[in-house]
Amino acid sequence: MSSENYKEKTTTQGERSLNFLEELIENDLKAGKYTSIVTRFPPEPNGYLHLGHASSICLNFGLTEKYPGYTNLRFDDTNPTTEETEYVESIKADIQWLGFSWKHERYASDYFEQLYNFAIQLIEADLAYVDDSTAEEIATLKGTPTEAGKNSPYRSRSIEENKDLFLRMKNGEFPDGSRTVRAKIDMAHTNMLMRDPVLYRIKHAHHHRTADAWCIYPMYDFAHGQSDSIEKVTHSLCTMEFVPHRELYDWLIQKLNIYPSHQYEFARRNINYTVTSKRKLLQLVNEKFVSGWDDPRMPTISGLRRRGFTPKSIRVFCEKIGIGKRDNMVDLGLLEFCLREDLNKTALRRMVVFDPVKLVITNYDKAVEMLQSENNPEDENSGTRDIPFSHELLIERNDFMEEPPKKYFRLAPGKMVRLKSAYIIQCDEVIKDEQGNITELHCSYIPESKSGADTSGIKVKGTIHWVNAKDAVPIEVREYDRLFKVENPAAESGDFTSFINPDSLKIVEGMAEPSINQASGKEHFQFIRKGYYCLDKDATKEKLIFNRSVTLKDSWAKK
Ligand code: ATP
Ligand code: MG
């Protein structure tokens, strides 16, 4: 799917047609099954959120913006060894930055006591038991998809013994891995996940919220559905790999006789030329392929934010890629397209010359003149700014050609061009050094051709950007390219890091108009004829550093 040929499915009225979840919810609401809905976004706090999560966030929060109800943020923190408070904070900040707000902030760990009691409830109903088998023994007896499993030798323990052992597990009497609690379902079930799934394991580990209160932790399947039910989540949305888990989800809710939440699945969204897996992103950070989770090349929300992506561009992107039942690879170019669309309307225009050549206006005799240039021609409320103009300017070296082809409308000997927001000039003489390199362009200007008050009657086809040589501000610009050389690095054989694009960061220098000194880090800029940029957090007063968020046009298409 590329940005140009991407078409949303629309109705005959031109509205986006409902996705399958919206259809389902509308039917449920119409049928009176619910009067309002509850969804949740359930990240595991073991890394920073990425674009795949953004799609899930937009889905879950988007549904309750559209229909009556609310969305909870629930941290799925049942795995004490990988979870950290730093991740919790970053996840909250990212969701808020995207413009969504949750009703309740919850943690699966809030429910540890309740989940423990649910397990006892199952044990008392003879629907769960304590198993002393090792992980290997459990695996061996599990069978295969074509062959039934065998009952564990501990399966027929008495309810009393199970209760006693479970209590002692909780009290820390046993080492890690020595016992588990398993649901008693059916070792011959066609769904392997229903063959007496493990519900609890022993793990003597410090938890980021419950500290050392627990040494037994519920497994995902036991925590997730029950947490949904406790929160009265109506539509529990997860990705397709959880389809086989749905049967267990429903079984547990039914046997515990608790609020009937329902699970629905949608396909993961993967983005080309990058990876969307927290584990892999963590590896990039740990092995220093990138400067951190918020490196502007990362597909993390924090990386995209630092790079200069806007919440709107990400939300529009997620809306455009929609949701479906089949996995697909989404073109990163579509996200960039969404950013250009947004920034074109909002970014402040500035002039920056990247590879300067000096331009001298020989008939200009004022010392300096303040000209005005509009901040954004797409937004009449954006105002203007002052730009100094004098007889010594800098222009891009490649905006001049000594022997231009026919349709070259920029500067050439004897030819005219307009300097953006200033005057029309004509190139009279080219000055070179001994090696034949161009050192200066001598031009004359047309005094009556001032932008906005042009009475010269001269028509020129080209407009170029420039800066005043004397007060131009040197800036550093970080230009980014795709992080990986191949479309789907995760699907290649071998270590995905060997497909990293060695040229994903290029540092260049630019000369900017003086108003750039007012950049605060909050604005988005369009450097005219170049692209969109924002101030990086590494910038100081002495050294302004900008990230190129995206080029003005899709340059990948050409490559
Ligand atoms: P990762 O593999 O990156 O850790 P995850 O699914 O394990 O991803 P969670 O923190 O468990 O990460 O995910 C929170 C929610 O985001 C889940 O509902 C999950 O299904 C959803 N999600 C994660 N990755 C994607 C993706 N690529 N596309 C759509 N939804 C996603
Ligand atoms: Mg996960």
Side-chain angles (χ1 to χ4, degrees):
M1 187 164 25
S2 89
S3 45
E4 282 80 29
N5 61 24
Y6 186 86
K7 287 255 169 23
E8 284 173 69
K9 283 198 200 104
T10 51
T11 63
T12 45
Q13 285 83 43
E15 294 155 9
R16 180 175 66 75
S17 46
L18 296 183
N19 64 46
F20 72 95
L21 286 166
E22 291 167 333
E23 236 166 65
L24 182 113
I25 289 169
E26 292 205 354
N27 288 337
D28 283 353
L29 289 169
K30 266 191 217 128
K33 189 168 169 194
Y34 307 103
T35 49
S36 64
I37 59 166
V38 180
T39 62
R40 86 289 170 263
F41 175 65
E44 190 182 347
N46 61 351
Y48 282 61
L49 298 181
H50 52 62
L51 271 173
H53 295 114
S55 149
S56 174
I57 291 169
C58 290
L59 172 63
N60 279 293
F61 286 92
L63 285 172
T64 55
E65 280 187 351
K66 185 162 180 184
Y67 302 109
Y70 60 81
T71 301
N72 284 349
L73 168 61
R74 180 181 344 117
F75 290 99
D76 193 354
D77 58 348
T78 54
N79 191 4
T81 48
T82 56
E83 293 154 6
E84 289 174 30
T85 310
E86 175 199 342
Y87 298 138
V88 168
E89 295 309 320
S90 76
I91 288 169
K92 285 162 61 176
D94 286 350
I95 298 172
Q96 284 168 330
W97 178 77
L98 282 172
F100 294 109
S101 37
W102 51 87
K103 176 85 170 177
H104 303 292
E105 176 183 335
R106 297 283 188 253
Y107 295 78
S109 56
D110 293 338
Y111 309 132
F112 280 171
E113 188 71 37
Q114 173 74 72
L115 294 170
Y116 173 75
N117 289 325
F118 282 151
I120 293 175
Q121 194 183 326
L122 290 178
I123 290 173
E124 286 177 339
D126 200 23
L127 291 169
Y129 60 99
V130 174
D131 195 333
D132 303 357
S133 307
T134 62
E136 296 78 65
E137 286 162 347
I138 290 179
T140 314
L141 291 181
K142 195 127 212 177
T144 67
T146 53
E147 195 187 326
K150 292 192 183 71
N151 285 352
S152 157
Y154 304 96
R155 200 176 197 260
S156 50
R157 271 180 163 146
S158 71
I159 291 173
E160 281 321 303
E161 190 184 2
N162 281 321
K163 279 179 75 173
D164 175 61
L165 284 171
F166 188 39
L167 180 65
R168 290 166 61 194
M169 278 171 69
K170 177 188 182 237
N171 290 343
E173 287 187 33
F174 311 120
D176 287 3
S178 61
R179 284 184 167 83
T180 55
V181 173
R182 299 176 68 183
K184 195 186 275 191
I185 306 180
D186 178 3
M187 288 305 290
H189 204 288
T190 48
N191 180 350
M192 297 280 287
L193 285 171
M194 297 293 278
R195 293 183 186 174
D196 290 11
V198 173
L199 306 181
Y200 263 96
R201 65 213 155 126
I202 302 174
K203 203 164 207 171
H204 292 266
H206 189 83
H207 187 277
H208 76 118
R209 290 184 80 239
T210 57
D212 301 306
W214 294 87
C215 63
I216 53 170
Y217 290 94
M219 301 299 287
Y220 168 87
D221 284 312
F222 195 60
H224 205 96
Q226 282 42 260
S227 303
D228 285 342
S229 179
I230 293 167
E231 294 173 20
K232 295 198 164 51
V233 168
T234 55
H235 296 78
S236 173
L237 314 176
C238 60
T239 42
M240 292 305 281
E241 68 271 24
F242 289 96
V243 167
H245 294 249
R246 193 192 327 128
E247 205 168 3
L248 179 55
Y249 184 104
D250 291 341
W251 186 91
L252 286 165
I253 283 181
Q254 194 220 332
K255 297 299 176 195
L256 291 167
N257 193 24
I258 52 179
Y259 179 84
S261 297
H262 289 287
Q263 173 184 307
Y264 303 92
E265 308 85 12
F266 61 96
R268 252 174 204 276
R269 288 297 185 232
N270 300 308
I271 320 292
N272 65 6
Y273 296 99
T274 189
V275 289
T276 43
S277 143
K278 278 179 280 182
R279 196 179 47 79
K280 291 199 171 71
L281 295 172
L282 178 64
Q283 194 180 334
L284 293 178
V285 173
N286 284 344
E287 296 177 14
K288 306 232 170 349
F289 288 107
V290 293
S291 62
W293 283 101
D294 70 346
D295 185 298
R297 292 165 294 180
M298 291 280 269
T300 50
I301 309 291
S302 51
L304 293 166
R305 174 166 63 234
R306 182 170 169 193
R307 168 92 165 250
F309 280 81
T310 58
K312 186 170 175 197
S313 65
I314 297 174
R315 287 175 65 153
V316 170
F317 169 73
C318 290
E319 174 79 9
K320 278 185 187 292
I321 64 178
I323 57 153
K325 284 277 187 187
R326 258 182 308 154
D327 274 3
N328 73 357
M329 184 65 89
V330 181
D331 187 3
L332 197 50
L334 180 62
L335 178 62
E336 301 199 331
F337 168 81
C338 296
L339 183 64
R340 286 188 196 100
E341 291 268 299
D342 188 19
L343 291 184
N344 181 42
K345 296 187 208 110
T346 56
L348 300 173
R349 274 45 172 181
R350 294 293 182 263
M351 294 202 276
V352 178
V353 173
F354 284 80
D355 180 16
V357 64
K358 193 172 188 180
L359 187 147
V360 178
I361 303 182
T362 49
N363 64 338
Y364 188 83
D365 45 19
K366 281 178 250 177
V368 65
E369 176 182 4
M370 276 301 172
L371 299 176
Q372 261 76 50
S373 191
E374 55 206 335
N375 282 323
N376 185 336
E378 305 284 319
D379 175 6
E380 51 186 45
N381 299 318
S382 63
T384 61
R385 67 190 188 283
D386 288 343
I387 36 174
F389 182 87
S390 77
H391 73 288
E392 276 191 10
L393 309 175
L394 303 174
I395 66 162
E396 298 284 353
R397 193 166 281 277
N398 69 9
D399 277 339
F400 173 81
M401 260 184 116
E402 225 174 345
E403 286 161 37
K406 258 218 161 92
K407 295 226 158 153
Y408 189 81
F409 299 125
R410 291 172 275 166
L411 200 59
K415 291 268 158 59
M416 285 186 172
V417 77
R418 172 170 294 283
L419 295 174
K420 171 77 186 158
S421 299
Y423 298 93
I424 294 174
I425 54 163
Q426 173 175 310
C427 179
D428 304 320
E429 196 184 354
V430 182
I431 313 293
K432 296 181 181 173
D433 64 13
E434 279 161 13
Q435 283 79 48
N437 302 313
I438 298 173
T439 52
E440 285 182 14
L441 299 169
H442 285 194
C443 300
S444 46
Y445 88 117
I446 316 290
E448 304 78 42
S449 67
K450 189 167 170 176
S451 280
D454 184 354
T455 56
S456 70
I458 301 171
K459 292 271 167 283
V460 291
K461 284 210 165 116
T463 300
I464 62 173
H465 62 280
W466 54 275
V467 292
N468 191 34
K470 190 155 159 264
D471 44 27
V473 181
I475 61 170
E476 176 181 311
V477 175
R478 297 176 178 173
E479 299 182 344
Y480 304 103
D481 198 353
R482 297 158 165 169
L483 188 50
F484 288 90
K485 293 181 288 190
V486 296
E487 270 219 81
N488 190 357
E492 299 283 338
S493 61
D495 185 4
F496 77 101
T497 59
S498 61
F499 300 99
I500 286 186
N501 173 9
D503 304 314
S504 60
L505 169 62
K506 197 172 134 201
I507 295 180
V508 300
E509 301 289 326
M511 297 298 280
E513 56 169 273
S515 71
I516 206 73
N517 279 323
Q518 282 138 39
S520 75
K522 291 198 181 76
E523 320 82 349
H524 296 274
F525 295 106
Q526 184 196 92
F527 293 170
I528 290 171
R529 300 174 62 223
K530 290 294 175 184
Y532 294 99
Y533 300 79
C534 66
L535 196 69
D536 188 73
K537 68 171 189 185
D538 288 346
T540 60
K541 273 243 155 340
E542 292 69 42
K543 187 170 191 197
L544 294 180
I545 300 173
F546 287 85
N547 295 312
R548 184 174 71 191
S549 313
V550 67
T551 51
L552 218 49
K553 295 199 187 89
D554 188 354
S555 55
W556 291 357
K558 279 182 265 152
K559 282 187 202 166

